[in-house]
Amino acid sequence: MSDISTRIRNAQKRINDGRRQVTSQLGSIQQRVSSSKFGEQVGTAQAKVAGAVPAALRGGNLSRTQKLQLAGIGSVSAAVLACGIAIPATSGSSSASQSVTASEPAAYSSLTGGNAQAKELHASITNQQAGASEQAKAAEAKIKAAEAKTKATKDRATKQAASRNAERKAVKSYPNNLDGWIRESLDIMKAKGIPGSYEGLHRNIMRESSGNTRAINLWDINAQNGIPSKGLLQVIQPTFDHWHVEGTSHDIYDPVANITAAANYAAERYGSMDNVNSAY
């Protein structure tokens, strides 16, 4: 960027130097016009312009300063002719006038060339600044997108953690005793739509097993048939297997599984364990 700025400043300086030269030479010509040797000096100037400017421009090896100097000469001559100054009608004056007129476009082109280069450099800088601005905006957009993605990921992880905590808190704990077993079984029965009450379950458990999870009947008809009643609510294995409730243990001696399977069977046969008041 600093190299481009330097080039612009140098181009502007050369343009300003050329303009100062033109102004200086124009003043000098005006002084000469006002002198007594007006015709001779103008003719000489025109001849020099006619001979020097085209030849120099055809050389092709001029520096920018030299081109600006030639541009100054051509511009002065053009200014003299534009003011309508009379030129002596000599054989050389016509060709000189034509030469000055012919050199004018080249001189003007030299002056405007600097301006064109400055404009081109300015346009290049403007384009680079616009490109840099677009790149900055794109980078900023990427950063914002990354931040938004990070935030979304963090929020999702936070919600998942909160959900897991809520699930852990939602898991109800029960004491490992008859009261806890009945209450846990009642919650499972409620979720599965199996009717029954704490009182009905507790009453039948106390009659059947006195709360002994390992109780087994070895004397009734079921025992005689080789399928003794077992557990808190004294159910036989086929009944337990058939009315087993999903989510509970498959062990017939498991207190919650035994209560829930027996209550499921009683609900089908008696409407509810609450309606059972004797062996069932």
Side-chain angles (χ1 to χ4, degrees):
M1 185 64 71
S2 60
D3 182 59
I4 294 174
S5 299
T6 301
R7 291 169 62 187
I8 291 175
R9 286 196 297 270
N10 291 340
Q12 290 175 339
K13 183 177 182 301
R14 288 193 292 270
I15 292 169
N16 291 335
D17 289 344
R19 288 175 177 171
R20 283 194 294 270
Q21 276 189 324
V22 168
T23 301
S24 176
Q25 292 179 8
L26 181 58
S28 177
I29 291 296
Q30 288 174 341
Q31 290 177 358
R32 292 179 182 179
V33 167
S34 62
S35 66
S36 60
K37 296 183 180 181
F38 162 78
E40 180 181 352
Q41 291 175 347
V42 170
T44 302
Q46 289 175 334
K48 288 181 178 180
V49 170
V53 174
L57 290 175
R58 288 194 301 271
N61 294 319
L62 297 178
S63 66
R64 179 171 290 276
T65 301
Q66 291 170 330
K67 288 182 179 180
L68 289 172
Q69 290 173 347
L70 291 175
I73 295 171
S75 297
V76 170
S77 300
V80 171
L81 294 175
C83 291
I85 300 173
I87 304 293
T90 62
S91 59
S93 63
S94 177
S95 61
S97 177
Q98 292 174 359
S99 298
V100 171
T101 304
S103 67
E104 182 181 357
Y108 179 76
S109 176
S110 297
L111 281 173
T112 57
N115 287 328
Q117 185 179 23
K119 289 179 180 178
E120 182 181 353
L121 291 173
H122 182 270
S124 176
I125 293 171
T126 301
N127 291 337
Q128 290 181 15
Q129 288 176 339
S133 178
E134 291 299 323
Q135 290 176 357
K137 287 180 180 178
E140 184 178 0
K142 288 182 179 180
I143 291 172
K144 288 183 178 179
E147 290 176 348
K149 184 177 180 181
T150 301
K151 185 178 183 301
T153 302
K154 185 177 179 180
D155 290 345
R156 186 166 55 251
T158 301
K159 288 180 180 179
Q160 290 175 348
S163 178
R164 287 193 294 268
N165 289 335
E167 289 174 359
R168 283 194 292 269
K169 290 179 180 179
V171 175
K172 194 173 181 179
S173 60
Y174 306 89
N176 188 27
N177 55 33
L178 181 58
D179 178 71
W181 302 330
I182 294 175
R183 294 187 183 283
E184 185 175 354
S185 181
L186 283 170
D187 286 342
I188 296 172
M189 290 164 58
K190 182 178 179 181
K192 301 294 184 179
I194 302 171
S197 68
Y198 185 96
E199 187 278 331
L201 293 175
H202 186 271
R203 172 167 45 82
N204 281 283
I205 289 171
M206 295 309 293
R207 187 188 67 252
E208 293 291 335
S209 66
S210 299
N212 179 8
T213 60
R214 307 299 298 183
I216 181 171
N217 188 323
L218 299 175
W219 58 85
D220 66 4
I221 187 63
N222 291 322
Q224 293 175 16
N225 293 331
I227 46 173
S229 301
K230 301 176 181 179
L232 289 177
L233 282 171
Q234 292 293 286
V235 294
I236 60 176
Q237 190 68 48
T239 300
F240 176 82
D241 292 340
H242 182 78
W243 298 102
H244 173 265
V245 176
E246 185 179 357
T248 64
S249 172
H250 286 275
D251 180 5
I252 195 171
Y253 289 109
D254 180 87
V256 174
N258 188 283
I259 294 171
T260 309
N264 195 24
Y265 164 72
E268 177 65 21
R269 185 168 181 180
Y270 303 103
S272 169
M273 184 62 76
D274 295 351
N275 299 327
V276 178
N277 293 301
S278 61
Y280 59 104

